[in-house]
Amino acid sequence: MVRFVARLIGMFGISIVLIGAVAANPPAASSTPTRVLVGLPPGGASDAIARALFMELGKKLNHTYVIENRPGASGSIAAGLVARAPADGATLLFTPSTHSANSILQPGLPFDTEKDFVGISIVATTPYVLVVHPSVAARDVKELVRSLKASPGTGTFAVQGLGSSQHLAAAQFKRLAGVEAVIVPYKGSSAALPDVLNGRVPIMFDNIAVAAPFIKDGRLRALAITSRQRAPGLAAVPTMIESGFPDFEVIGWFGVFGPAGLGSDKVNDLARAVVEIKDDPAFAARLAQIGAQVSNINGEQVDRFVRDDIRRTLEIVRAADIKVE
């Protein structure tokens, strides 16, 4: 039975959850907890997926994982702490796809994204949904484009951190639609949502599960999905491709990493345990509730995936002329 030993929300947005577990016929327990740093605040998809994964991993390995939210600089603060941590398995990073973009958009980072981490698993991927506050008259993407072109520079997009997949989606939308609009960054979806819900910053690409309840109760209007296929939970909402943007696809991802030098035995053991969790239909169903789906990228494949993702992100950044001010 999983035991939440303590939950503390302290100063500077740091949230700590100790997750301990007792499994049937468990392996011998380790006495030293593992810290898992999450670079975004509680309440968003990164936090929810991390907690779901490490709860199950704690049960499977009879081990305690300490989830620490260390928001700031689009996740690079948490990544920097892990990069400098001893490569002994006591500190791990759970990060969204800002991990790739930060290496491009934040020159001078005190770590090398490709060299200072070892990939364990890409746990999940997720598309996003383009939503607007009901005060925005547009009922579809084409109407939104016409509205933004009619009043250049007055439209505002909320994004969950500079370099996030949502930021890249908004920037790519602006470029492909040929519109001028202001991008307003926040420290995660939970920080951005209040301003979107009250109409202060009325346009947003958000995680489907986070936005879905507000779409259903009419507090947000869904215009399009960023994947190539429609989302099961929002089947009536067209994709960006169906909405007249044939090259538009933005998918976010969430992964587990350790510091470079983490032994291959520990990496492989963790990767195998994560794969077993991802193979469980109950875990896949839980991810679906968060608007995500299981990824099959694990172990050595992760580092290659990140290198390729950095190159893909660089192409979007250059084409959209994205800069961190």
Side-chain angles (χ1 to χ4, degrees):
M1 178 180 185
V2 176
R3 299 191 303 274
F4 286 91
V5 180
R7 180 168 183 160
L8 303 173
I9 297 181
M11 298 177 65
F12 310 113
I14 299 173
S15 172
I16 301 175
V17 177
L18 306 186
I19 302 177
V22 177
N25 301 315
S30 169
S31 60
T32 304
T34 295
R35 301 166 65 216
V36 182
L37 273 59
V38 180
L40 291 170
S46 292
D47 183 68
I49 296 172
R51 294 180 193 280
L53 173 68
F54 284 97
M55 180 185 294
E56 296 304 318
L57 201 60
K59 288 190 290 186
K60 181 171 291 292
L61 300 180
N62 191 24
H63 185 65
T64 298
Y65 291 91
V66 183
I67 307 294
E68 296 185 19
N69 294 87
R70 293 295 186 97
S74 299
S76 63
I77 290 176
L81 291 170
V82 175
R84 296 190 297 272
D88 56 6
T91 306
L92 299 175
L93 175 69
F94 188 89
T95 181
S97 42
T98 51
H99 192 61
S100 296
N102 288 343
S103 66
I104 299 164
L105 295 174
Q106 298 185 33
L109 285 174
F111 57 83
D112 186 311
T113 302
E114 295 188 41
K115 296 179 180 178
D116 290 342
F117 302 91
V118 58
I120 295 167
S121 178
I122 302 299
V123 179
T125 60
T126 180
Y128 301 101
V129 57
L130 172 60
V131 294
V132 296
H133 185 267
S135 63
V136 176
R139 312 299 284 187
D140 57 36
V141 175
K142 290 180 180 178
E143 288 185 4
L144 179 62
V145 172
R146 284 197 294 268
S147 173
L148 292 172
K149 285 185 174 180
S151 302
T154 60
T156 53
F157 283 79
V159 302
Q160 299 89 321
L162 294 172
S164 65
S165 293
Q166 297 92 326
H167 179 198
L168 298 178
Q172 194 166 9
F173 174 83
K174 286 175 54 181
R175 180 178 68 85
L176 295 176
V179 300
E180 296 179 26
V182 178
I183 290 179
V184 182
Y186 293 82
K187 291 183 178 181
S189 177
S190 58
L193 261 176
D195 279 359
V196 180
L197 290 170
N198 65 31
R200 263 197 297 268
V201 184
I203 313 171
M204 184 184 196
F205 285 92
D206 201 3
N207 294 291
I208 291 175
V210 174
F214 304 108
I215 295 169
K216 290 175 181 177
D217 70 13
R219 298 175 67 188
L220 294 175
R221 184 184 307 123
L223 302 187
I225 303 294
T226 65
S227 55
R228 292 189 174 275
Q229 294 80 33
R230 295 193 181 195
L234 295 172
V237 180
T239 66
M240 290 292 295
I241 293 171
E242 292 174 300
S243 301
F245 291 78
D247 297 322
F248 197 108
E249 182 184 22
V250 177
I251 302 294
W253 56 263
F254 306 86
V256 182
F257 297 81
L262 185 63
S264 59
D265 288 347
K266 289 184 179 179
V267 171
N268 292 335
D269 287 347
L270 279 170
R272 278 194 294 268
V274 173
V275 168
E276 290 176 6
I277 291 168
K278 292 195 292 184
D279 286 343
D280 183 350
F283 183 75
R286 187 165 183 180
L287 288 187
Q289 293 175 348
I290 308 171
Q293 61 185 22
V294 168
S295 164
N296 62 359
I297 300 169
N298 303 288
E300 294 179 356
Q301 299 171 324
V302 176
D303 294 330
R304 291 195 297 271
F305 172 84
V306 170
R307 287 195 295 271
D308 291 343
D309 193 51
I310 288 173
R311 285 191 284 273
R312 286 191 297 268
T313 302
L314 181 59
E315 291 175 3
I316 294 175
V317 167
R318 284 176 172 169
D321 195 26
I322 299 172
K323 295 182 176 64
V324 174
E325 300 298 334

